[in-house]
Amino acid sequence: MTVNDDSFTNWKNREEIAESMIPLIGKLHRERDVTVLLHSRSLVNKSVVSILKTHRFARQIDGAELSVTETMPFLRALTALDLGPSQIDIGMLAATHKADDRGLSVEAFTAEAVAGATGANKIEQREPRDVVLYGFGRIGRLVARLLIEKAGSGNGLRLRAIVVRGAGGEDIVKRASLLRRDSIHGQFQGTITVDEENSTILANGNEIKVIYADDPSQVDYTAYGIRDAILIDNTGKWRDREGLSKHLRPGIEKVVLTAPGKGDVPNIVHGVNHDTVKPDEQILSCASCTTNAIVPPLKAMADEYGVLRGHVETVHSFTNDQNLLDNYHKSERRGRSAPLNMVITETGAASAVAKALPDLKARITGSSIRVPVPDVSIAILNLQLAREASRAEVLDYLREVSLTSPLKRQIDFITAPDAVSSDFIGSRHASIVDAGALKVEGDNAILYLWYDNEFGYSCQVVRVVQHVSGVEYPTFPSPAV
C-alpha cells in the first residue's frame, strides 16, 4: 500500500467516525438540550466534512490537528451521563484530559469535568421564551436564522413574530424569500413555507407571525398569544430609553436594541459586561458590531498588560445606510457611491468602550473608513501598554485567551498567512485576532481584528438575549478565569 493509500484510508476511517458522531450529537441536543462544542464551535446540525474541518481547525490554535479518534470517546462518555441543559466542549475535554496526570479513564474524567450539569446539579429544561423581531433587515434576518437554528431542542428561545411595515403586493412572500436566500450568507439551512392568508412564515417547524404596523403603539402582542416576550429592535429608529419604551406593550417584557444605545441605556457586550445587567432592566443595547469586535480583546489586553491609551481604526464594509450610486444623503460623505469609493466616516465604537468597560481609564479614540466590500470588516487596535512585552508573548497570550478563557466565544485566533476578509464570512466570534499581522514593540501593541459585522454581531445579540431570558446554559469544562 502506498503512502497516498494510507492517507486515503485514514480519511475514510475518520469520515466513518464523524458520521457516527452525528446521531449522538443530535440526540443530546434534542432530548437533553445539550449543545456539543469543539473549541467553542457548535457541532449541532453539522455535516461529516464540517465536523472534520472543525477538528482540523485546532492546528491553527495549538499547532496540532485534533482527531475525531481523540474526541469520540468523550462524546460517548457524555451519552452515558444524566445530563441537564448545558454546552459541553469535547475539544476542551480532550485537551484537559491529556494534561491531567491522575490517570483517570475518559469516563471518570468526563463525569468529573461536567459534574455541574449532572444529577442534583443539573438545571431543568425551561419553557421556551417568546421573541419578537421589530424590523427584518440585514441583522433581523440573520438573528431570525440563529433563533430558528437554536430552537432545535424545543427549548430556549422561540421566534414568535416579526413586525414590519407593509410594502404592498406579495410582501410576506418577498420577505420569506430574503430569509431563504442571502447573497452573502447563502441558503437558509432548512425549509420555509408561506401562509399568506394567515400572514405566517413556517421555518423548520417554527410558526412566525408577520405583523404589519407603522408604530409600536399599534400592536397588542397578546392578541397573537405572545407573552413576556423579548423584543429585538433592528430598526435603530429609537435609541434612547424614552423611544425604546414605546415597545413595552402588552406581551413584551424586555427590549433589546441592535445599535448603540443613548443616554442611560446600558450598552452590553456579551462576554465582557453581560453579567452587569440587572434582572429588572427592561431596556438595553447590544452596542455596535465594531464595539463588540474591539471591547473583548481590549479587555483581554488591559487585564494582562494594562492599557494607558489607544486608537481604533476600522476598515468597515459598506452598509445599507449608504447610497448605491451618488445621491442625496444627510451625511456629508455617505451620499457617494458605496461600491465605488472608500468613504471616511465617524464611529461611535471608541466612545462606547466607556460604557462596556467603565473601569478602563485609558482614553480610546477612533475613526472609520467604509470600503467597497459587502461584509466583514477589520479593526486596527493601536495600544500603549502599561508594561513592555514581546510579540511572541502577546501571541501566546491571545491564543490562550481564544482557547480557554471566558472570552473564548468572543475572541478567535487565526495563523493562516493568506487570510483575507471573505474567509471570515459566517464567523460566530465577535472578532478574530490575525496572528500574522500583530505588531509589538516595547510598550506598543497593534492588533488586527477581523469581524463579520453582520453574522458575528448577530451571534452576540442572540447571546445577550439568551442571557437576559435566563436560557443561557453553563459551559463545561468551565473556562479558566
Side-chain angles (χ1 to χ4, degrees):
M1 182 177 287
T2 66
V3 173
N4 286 340
D5 288 337
D6 284 341
S7 297
F8 185 67
T9 300
N10 179 263
W11 170 261
K12 300 301 288 184
N13 288 339
R14 286 185 290 143
E15 269 191 325
E16 184 178 358
I17 294 171
E19 189 173 347
S20 66
M21 284 179 151
I22 292 173
L24 301 181
I25 293 166
K27 189 173 183 180
L28 284 168
H29 186 57
R30 286 190 307 276
E31 296 183 3
R32 306 188 203 177
D33 213 2
V34 172
T35 300
V36 177
L37 309 173
L38 188 90
H39 287 318
S40 302
R41 289 164 167 75
S42 173
L43 297 182
V44 176
N45 292 329
K46 294 297 187 290
S47 67
V48 168
V49 172
S50 291
I51 290 173
L52 291 173
K53 285 181 70 175
T54 305
H55 278 74
R56 183 168 171 76
F57 175 81
R59 72 192 179 100
Q60 297 271 20
I61 302 293
D62 58 15
E65 184 174 343
L66 186 64
S67 173
V68 287
T69 61
E70 297 174 78
T71 57
M72 183 58 161
F74 294 94
L75 181 58
R76 286 200 188 100
L78 291 174
T79 63
L81 296 173
D82 179 27
L83 290 168
S86 54
Q87 300 185 102
I88 300 178
D89 195 319
I90 57 175
M92 285 300 297
L93 280 174
T96 51
H97 180 256
K98 187 182 294 185
D100 190 85
D101 59 2
R102 294 176 294 164
L104 295 178
S105 67
V106 166
E107 292 75 16
F109 183 84
T110 301
E112 179 184 272
V114 303
T118 60
N121 294 321
K122 71 180 183 181
I123 59 177
E124 295 302 317
Q125 290 183 324
R126 301 182 176 97
E127 287 298 313
R129 185 70 175 269
D130 290 351
V131 178
V132 172
L133 295 178
Y134 197 95
F136 204 49
R138 298 298 303 157
I139 300 302
R141 292 194 295 274
L142 291 177
V143 169
R145 285 189 175 199
L146 286 164
L147 292 172
I148 294 164
E149 170 194 300
K150 293 178 182 298
S153 64
N155 292 279
L157 303 174
R158 181 174 58 172
L159 177 57
R160 295 293 309 281
I162 297 161
V163 184
V164 292
R165 291 181 177 178
E170 296 191 320
D171 180 278
I172 190 171
V173 173
K174 291 176 180 177
R175 293 186 190 278
S177 182
L178 286 169
L179 178 62
R180 184 181 291 114
R181 287 179 287 271
D182 189 280
S183 299
I184 295 169
H185 300 284
Q187 297 274 351
F188 172 80
Q189 296 301 304
T191 62
I192 293 175
T193 56
V194 175
D195 182 348
E196 287 188 85
E197 185 177 344
N198 293 303
S199 191
T200 300
I201 295 174
L202 190 67
N204 290 358
N206 294 267
E207 249 186 58
I208 306 164
K209 193 74 176 178
V210 179
I211 302 169
Y212 293 100
D214 294 327
D215 187 83
S217 63
Q218 298 175 356
V219 189
D220 178 355
Y221 295 96
T222 59
Y224 303 94
I226 296 170
R227 300 284 188 279
D228 302 322
I230 297 175
L231 182 144
I232 305 174
D233 184 328
N234 306 290
T235 68
K237 182 176 180 181
W238 305 278
R239 291 171 58 188
D240 59 13
R241 188 172 295 275
E242 180 183 0
L244 292 168
S245 293
K246 295 178 181 180
H247 290 303
L248 295 174
R249 306 278 301 151
I252 303 299
E253 184 183 11
K254 294 180 185 291
V255 179
V256 175
L257 171 65
T258 62
K262 293 184 176 180
D264 68 340
V265 174
N267 280 265
I268 304 302
V269 175
H270 191 275
V272 174
N273 67 337
H274 66 278
D275 56 357
T276 66
V277 179
K278 298 176 182 177
D280 61 349
E281 179 60 76
Q282 289 188 287
I283 295 173
L284 54 91
S285 156
C286 289
S288 70
C289 56
T290 302
T291 303
N292 277 263
I294 65 172
V295 165
L298 180 56
K299 172 177 169 48
M301 293 297 289
D303 287 349
E304 180 67 15
Y305 301 102
V307 172
L308 301 181
R309 71 174 310 276
H311 176 82
V312 60
E313 187 79 35
T314 67
V315 182
H316 200 291
S317 62
F318 61 76
T319 63
N320 265 333
D321 79 328
Q322 294 174 256
N323 290 334
L324 189 62
L325 294 170
D326 289 3
N327 206 348
Y328 172 80
H329 194 289
K330 62 181 181 180
S331 296
E332 292 184 347
R333 301 184 200 249
R334 293 192 190 189
R336 302 298 298 277
S337 172
L340 296 178
N341 294 290
M342 292 190 289
V343 178
I344 297 174
T345 186
E346 70 282 347
T347 176
S351 58
V353 168
K355 277 194 169 185
L357 286 175
D359 293 336
L360 182 70
K361 303 307 179 186
R363 181 169 180 263
I364 308 293
T365 58
S367 52
S368 179
I369 302 173
R370 298 284 180 92
V371 295
V373 294
D375 187 31
V376 180
S377 305
I378 190 167
I380 304 166
L381 189 58
N382 193 332
L383 303 175
Q384 182 185 354
L385 308 177
R387 67 177 175 88
E388 294 190 354
S390 69
R391 184 175 185 275
E393 178 191 349
V394 174
L395 275 177
D396 285 345
Y397 171 66
L398 291 174
R399 181 190 290 110
E400 192 62 25
V401 165
S402 74
L403 263 179
T404 64
S405 82
L407 290 170
K408 65 180 183 178
R409 296 172 71 192
Q410 283 70 44
I411 301 175
D412 204 359
F413 186 92
I414 188 167
T415 59
D418 56 349
V420 294
S421 61
S422 61
D423 296 326
F424 305 101
I425 292 174
S427 169
R428 294 178 182 239
H429 288 79
S431 63
I432 305 100
V433 176
D434 192 309
L438 176 76
K439 299 184 186 333
V440 180
E441 186 173 342
D443 64 352
N444 177 241
I446 305 175
L447 281 62
Y448 288 74
L449 307 165
W450 298 101
Y451 58 110
D452 184 330
N453 48 278
E454 293 186 334
F455 195 72
Y457 176 67
S458 297
C459 290
Q460 284 286 89
V461 171
V462 171
R463 288 170 190 141
V464 169
V465 174
Q466 286 178 312
H467 177 73
V468 299
S469 69
V471 297
E472 185 179 39
Y473 297 139
T475 300
F476 300 95
S478 300
V481 177

